[in-house]
Amino acid sequence: MIAFLIKRLMHAVLVMFVISVLAFAIQDNLGDPIQQMVGQSVPESEREALRERLGLNDSFLVQYGRFAKNAVQGDFGYSYFYREPALGVIARHLPATLELVFAATLIIVLLSVPIGVYSAIKPRAVLSRFFMGASIIGISIPVFLTAIVLIQIFSIGITVSLFPESTGWGAWLNGLLSTQGNMPSFGRGYDLVHVVGHWDTNMASWDGLKHLVLPAISLASIMLPLFIRLIRAEMMEVLQSEYVKYARAKGISMRRVYFVHALKNTMLPVITVGGVQIGTMVAYTILTETVFQWPGMGLMFLDAINRADIPLIVAYLMIVGVIFVVTNTIVDLIYGFVNPTVKLTGKPA
Amino acid sequence: MTLKKTLLASIIGATVAGSALLPLTASAEALRIGYSADPETLDIHEQLSGGMLRFSHLAFDPLVRWTKDFDFEPRLATEWEQTDDTHIRMTLREGVTFHSGNPFTAKDVVWTIERLQESPDYKAIFEPIASAEAIDDYTVEITTTEPYPLMLNLATYIFPMDSEFYTGETDSGNDKAEIVKAGNSFASRNVSGTGPFRLTDRRQGVRVDFERFEDYWDTETEGNVSSIVLTPISENASRVAALLSGGVDFIDAVPPNDLERIRESGDVELIEVPGTRIIGFQLNQEKVEAFQDVRVRQAVDLAINQEGIADRLMRGFATPAGQFSPEGYSGHNPDLVPRYDLERAQELMAEAGYEDGFTVDMIAPNNRYVNDAQIAQAVANMLSRINIKVNLRTMPLAQYWPEYDTRQSDIAMLGWHSDTEDSANFFQYLSFCIDDETGAGQYNYGNYCNEEIDALVTEADSVTDLERRNEMLREAEAMLYEDVGFVMLHWQNLAYAAANGVDIEPVVNAIDFPYLGDLVINR
């Protein structure tokens, strides 16, 4: 166990090293940060002086060497836009993103398990077919479109006048299909509850929760169909297996067969995929956060790219690399916990 | 004894009467703004940008400010007088206090001007000023190196800072007054101005909070905004959605695709203002020999249908241009209008010996100006009709400027706003013969050079008789029009939208700095 964790720690360091080299190698293609920092009429000599002061004229090796030397001491550079250490900027934006990912994960778990199991048990039911059809559509709709549609329906509101308003039933149908739209469409709201350090939470106030709902649904919308289909497929396979047939033959109640024997074994591959996907979800937050102006890491990263805020871009990429390593490590740990036959250190059993 | 009592009673009486009158005035209102960007820093001299100037108009006051019709309106300077060719004397408003409580006097103005001269972004603009001197507490004399007609234009950039507040050393031993670009200076974190709003909280990139300054000098304004929350919402669709859903009361930069939607919505109001930013193309004469021929340049200009682009592509969100200066500017020449004529363009190409045309590269940004990539595409198509085949490359802003600076492409797109709100600035940066010494022609991508025009504009800039000066600038515009030193397209409009009852129309202007201190809300 300890050996395993040490090995993973070394992985993380290696990942950070590789990412930082790559990020530095492409920084010239990320754009010119100076242009964003000066007014249009600033003469070239002033720009050159600023470039010199920020060390942008040095060669790749000199710049990287300086960065690496500071990075080992925990200093990942200074964001041009925020005018403070890049790591601090990320730390400030991290809780918002983690809360969003957590909320989305919660939605995924709470919906995908029952729906997946149901459509595995009753594959021919109308509802199952509906879920399968909807999941195909869901998987094909890009997240920003989902987000915009959600905003239109639940924040702005839509007025339907498809049916004749003069007739009673027409007015009733119109009323039924129209929405008021009073959900907040941007930001985290002004009613955040401070927890500790940089962490203000959306989850402890009614207004905060309202702000969280739409972004969380949008973010969940990408992964939810995937998980429903995955759980359904795994469950159907497990239901065909010998031990399930044996359990049924023994006369164990169907509920116990489905939810104790079958579901447990279904979840093994789901955990593996899920862990990897949570990492991916951090990346998807870029789109969701941009549409909802959610002040998390994703929005921060996109702004950093637009401003060519290179130190912040490099630090973000490295941190995301670490997040991937950490989630994978946790997944492996859980996996070993759920299925004790898996040996973490890789030694022969 | 009795006298004192009477006095006291009358004071109390007056106070009661005064407070009884209060409900008659408009009630205090909170304003939630969704701007496309928030101020980059709190140091108003660190960066010259639209976001910073908007912030300056909230937390500070300029000496004078522009009206909607490009006249000057007194703010902290109440009177001004050109005493001779190189001296201007300004009388300052009395009884003004800074947010810190310090009184505002002439020494703050002098201090601010001297700081502007140190600022990398303002240094070039303030070069004509030789010195500033406080004559007494409320009189300032500004000396220019040469006769300079645009002193009041510069005064719109002088937002007096609280010299006492910004003087001294911080705990870590840094000078409080220092200007550090992209650094952690005292002035970039702390602010004390005279403006209508006091900054109360700021989380960069997330929100900025303001409260009305209770001791604001301008008690005659009807503005009733008591507090402001500014949220930057850079994504166009999200900003519009935030307004339509009632999340914010006021947004800027409404994208053309949403204009119709906002006009038709009953709950919000759209205000369009003709802008002053010229959008156009520069033909690189160093790379393409044909562009050295004035007939080819004219053909390019004639082949482009400015009206069509403004009408269809921009959906009326632009004013077609035939010159740099928009209406209201000193050099605006009403005779110079777009002259789309495809046949004549083809004739000119034939006359110049380029009947069969040639192939060129074109670069354009895709996230800087409204519909920039689409405009470039449309222009490329139009040029194909005079047999100029265009290979277009569009790219995000962060990559565009480094690419632009290399001057390796044949045609480049550029938008330009005159920092001085004056015509001469356009020429100096975009069409003057390139001179690395003086910095002239810094954005003259095509290496265009017409010394006659340069001489005329330079002469105009030292003529203090404004009538004569305007005449010369109009003449310069006409010469450039004939010579096609810059392919004009249009001035991009500005669009704001606000919830009903938020009366933004009187406070927005072509300069793009809403004067929110005067905003009236009647819900």
Side-chain angles (χ1 to χ4, degrees), chain A residues 26-303:
Chain A
I26 60 163
Q27 68 165 338
D28 281 345
N29 300 320
L30 292 176
D32 180 12
I34 302 296
Q35 189 68 43
Q36 313 275 317
M37 282 186 235
V38 298
Q40 57 182 12
S41 49
V42 172
E44 187 52 39
S45 56
E46 287 289 340
R47 291 169 197 240
E48 199 48 44
L50 184 58
R51 216 170 268 139
E52 191 64 44
R53 180 167 75 76
L54 296 176
L56 294 171
N57 285 336
D58 300 335
S59 70
F60 170 77
L61 281 179
V62 173
Q63 286 195 47
Y64 187 76
R66 190 168 46 215
F67 170 79
K69 196 178 128 213
N70 292 331
V72 257
Q73 294 165 1
D75 173 7
F76 284 64
Y78 209 80
S79 161
Y80 300 145
F81 177 72
Y82 290 93
R83 294 150 173 86
E84 56 183 291
L87 222 47
V89 175
I90 293 175
R92 209 144 37 77
H93 288 85
L94 188 64
T97 297
L98 291 185
E99 282 201 353
L100 184 58
V101 170
F102 175 74
T105 312
L106 209 62
I107 294 175
I108 292 172
V109 171
L110 289 182
L111 289 181
S112 66
V113 175
I115 294 178
V117 169
Y118 174 81
S119 39
I121 298 173
K122 290 203 162 81
R124 287 177 202 288
V126 178
L127 204 55
S128 299
R129 287 165 191 269
F130 168 76
F131 283 135
M132 286 307 106
S135 70
I136 281 285
I137 295 172
I139 225 164
S140 348
I141 296 180
V143 60
F144 60 84
L145 186 62
T146 316
I148 291 281
V149 170
L150 284 176
I151 288 178
Q152 182 65 47
I153 297 177
F154 296 107
S155 298
I156 301 174
I158 46 172
T159 319
V160 174
S161 50
L162 213 60
F163 304 102
E165 192 69 35
S166 50
T167 62
W169 61 271
W172 182 77
L173 272 177
N174 283 341
L176 192 70
L177 292 174
S178 301
T179 53
Q180 280 293 321
N182 48 17
M183 292 297 282
S185 73
F186 72 95
R188 299 182 71 188
Y190 305 134
D191 202 6
L192 298 180
V193 179
H194 183 77
V195 184
V196 64
H198 288 306
W199 185 19
D200 292 319
T201 184
N202 268 69
M203 307 214 179
S205 66
W206 178 236
D207 182 64
L209 284 171
K210 264 168 73 179
H211 278 83
L212 189 58
V213 171
L214 293 187
I217 293 177
S218 309
L219 186 58
S221 72
I222 336 157
M223 299 292 173
L224 184 59
L226 183 83
F227 277 90
I228 291 177
R229 298 187 81 86
L230 184 70
I231 291 174
R232 174 178 176 267
E234 289 297 329
M235 185 82 172
M236 284 175 91
E237 201 181 308
V238 170
L239 287 180
Q240 299 298 321
S241 62
E242 297 293 329
Y243 66 86
V244 169
K245 283 181 185 159
Y246 177 67
R248 286 164 80 167
K250 243 173 80 177
I252 296 174
S253 73
M254 284 320 280
R255 175 187 291 264
R256 208 177 145 74
V257 172
Y258 289 141
F259 291 99
V260 177
H261 297 284
L263 187 60
K264 224 179 188 175
N265 288 294
T266 301
M267 292 320 276
L268 278 176
V270 174
I271 289 172
T272 320
V273 177
V276 177
Q277 296 298 342
I278 284 183
T280 316
M281 209 136 81
V282 172
Y284 269 112
T285 56
I286 295 177
L287 291 173
T288 314
E289 288 183 3
T290 306
V291 177
F292 288 100
Q293 199 65 30
W294 188 262
M297 273 176 18
L299 181 63
M300 177 210 78
F301 179 61
L302 199 78
D303 284 344

Side-chain angles (χ1 to χ4, degrees), chain A residues 28-33 35-36 47 305-306 308, chain B residues 279-282 361-369 372-373 376 392-415 443 445 486:
Chain A
D28 281 345
N29 300 320
L30 292 176
D32 180 12
Q35 189 68 43
Q36 313 275 317
R47 291 169 197 240
I305 288 191
N306 284 332
Chain B
I279 308 288
F281 289 88
Q282 293 170 302
D361 294 327
M362 181 195 273
I363 52 169
N366 60 18
N367 61 354
R368 176 66 184 96
Y369 314 114
D372 38 16
L392 174 65
R393 269 193 310 138
T394 63
M395 58 202 93
L397 187 63
Q399 277 102 62
Y400 186 69
W401 292 122
E403 177 73 39
Y404 182 93
D405 285 339
T406 63
R407 300 191 183 183
Q408 286 307 305
S409 192
D410 305 328
I411 302 181
M413 187 180 195
L414 185 71
Y443 286 81
Y445 189 88
F486 188 91

Side-chain angles (χ1 to χ4, degrees), chain B residues 166-195:
Chain B
Y166 291 103
T167 302
E169 274 188 5
T170 61
D171 294 340
S172 48
N174 293 325
D175 184 3
K176 284 184 179 175
E178 68 176 345
I179 304 173
V180 186
K181 245 189 201 302
N184 188 0
S185 64
F186 175 80
S188 71
R189 305 261 173 218
N190 301 279
V191 61
S192 171
T194 60

Side-chain angles (χ1 to χ4, degrees), chain B residues 85-104:
Chain B
D85 265 2
T86 55
H87 291 86
I88 187 165
R89 198 172 270 234
M90 290 191 155
T91 311
L92 304 176
R93 195 174 292 280
E94 296 183 26
V96 177
T97 41
F98 285 106
H99 297 167
S100 66
N102 295 332
F104 160 74

